Structures are given as structure tokens and as C-alpha cells.
Amino acid sequence: MKLDRIDIKILYELQKNGRITNVELAELVNLSPSPCLMRVKKLQAEGYIGGYSAQINIAKLGQTLTVFTEVTLKNHRQIDFARFLAAVEKVDSVVECHLVSGGYDYLLKFVTGGIVEYQTIMERLIDMDVGIDKYFSYVVLKSPIVKSHMPLTSLFPV
């Protein structure tokens, strides 16, 4: 499926508000409701829309701690990466994991109930011997900019 600028605009608007009505969406992308709904269904069928979810205001639920962690592995064989990832996937507090280039191998984002919980998780990972050589932790003090949507219209101008 080749996407046009209207498809990109539909995706852009849906990622900002997954609960928008079809009529409102159609208005924003300058279509009538019926063709707009057909496009949305096609985007879903083709896998461009992976699902819909709620954005939870976690601060309302209680205090949390966000930590970014740089992880360097001891070895760099495929099996070493796989063993590390298998262990990290099971850690509920890991909300992001990125294989990166540069001075370390992975950048992880943890959201925990506090520093003690984070340190316990890291100690457990070290004790499991999943190949961690060293890690550096960066505690988030404040997040002045957090966007939940991607800049689709500028990334994919059509």
C-alpha cells in the first residue's frame, strides 16, 4: 500500500487522539466521513495502525522514578545480545530498550517505584549473569518535554 498525504495526516491525527470520532477526523483531513472511515480501516488492515491505547497520567497514581541506563555487555556475539534481551524483556519496569551505536551497547528506560526498587532490579540482572560488563544510571529529575506522537507529517512529506 502506497500512502499519500491524507493517509499520513490520518495517522498523525489518530496518534494524537485515538478516540477522535470519524466525523471529526474526516473534517481534519478534508474528507467526507465515508472515505475517511474506509482509509482508516485499510490502514488498520495493512498494519499501519497497531492498536489504540490510553495515555495514563502516572503522576496521579503515585510517585515514580524514571532512570535511563547505559549498559555495556562483556561480549558482543549474537548469543550474548539474545541472552541479555531475553532477561530484560521479563523486567516489567523496563519500558524501553534501544541497541545503540557509540560507547555502550544498550540504552534502557526504567520506570520504578523508587531508587531501591531500581537498584534491586539492577543487582538481580547482574547476579543472573546475563552478560552485563558495566552500567551507568541517569536519574530523571524533570521531563519538561515528553511527546507521545511522532512528527509524521514532517518525517514523511508527501
Side-chain angles (χ1 to χ4, degrees):
M1 176 179 176
K2 179 99 170 102
L3 301 184
D4 63 15
R5 69 175 178 74
I6 295 173
D7 293 321
I8 299 292
K9 182 80 169 139
I10 287 171
L11 293 172
Y12 179 75
E13 294 301 336
L14 282 175
Q15 73 174 349
K16 290 191 332 186
N17 180 4
R19 295 186 60 166
I20 191 171
T21 68
N22 183 57
V23 172
E24 291 169 324
L25 179 61
E27 224 173 83
L28 287 172
V29 300
N30 298 317
L31 284 178
S32 57
S34 182
C36 182
L37 185 58
M38 287 173 46
R39 282 180 181 248
V40 170
K41 288 185 186 233
K42 187 161 185 166
L43 289 165
Q44 289 171 336
E46 294 289 326
Y48 288 98
I49 299 171
Y52 297 88
S53 63
Q55 295 172 12
I56 307 301
N57 182 349
I58 198 161
K60 289 281 227 183
L61 296 172
Q63 230 177 355
T64 62
L65 178 76
T66 301
V67 182
F68 286 95
T69 305
E70 297 174 355
V71 176
T72 303
L73 300 182
K74 292 175 188 168
N75 298 302
H76 295 91
R77 299 168 302 189
Q78 200 58 37
I79 193 166
D80 300 309
F81 289 107
R83 185 177 65 212
F84 174 76
L85 283 177
V88 167
E89 281 176 343
K90 294 176 186 161
V91 179
D92 200 36
S93 296
V94 175
V95 296
E96 292 180 21
C97 176
H98 306 274
L99 178 62
V100 297
S101 63
Y104 53 96
D105 298 313
Y106 286 97
L107 179 64
L108 305 178
K109 180 180 180 182
F110 289 84
V111 178
T112 67
I115 196 72
V116 172
E117 181 184 339
Y118 168 74
Q119 193 57 40
T120 301
I121 293 166
M122 289 310 299
E123 288 169 359
R124 191 170 0 121
L125 284 171
I126 297 292
D127 289 344
M128 288 170 62
D129 197 27
V130 294
I132 297 174
D133 182 35
K134 60 184 174 184
Y135 69 95
F136 294 96
S137 306
Y138 301 91
V139 174
V140 174
L141 302 176
K142 187 176 183 180
S143 298
I145 299 173
V146 177
K147 296 180 181 179
S148 62
H149 63 277
M150 297 293 139
L152 297 181
T153 51
S154 59
L155 285 173
F156 305 103
V158 189

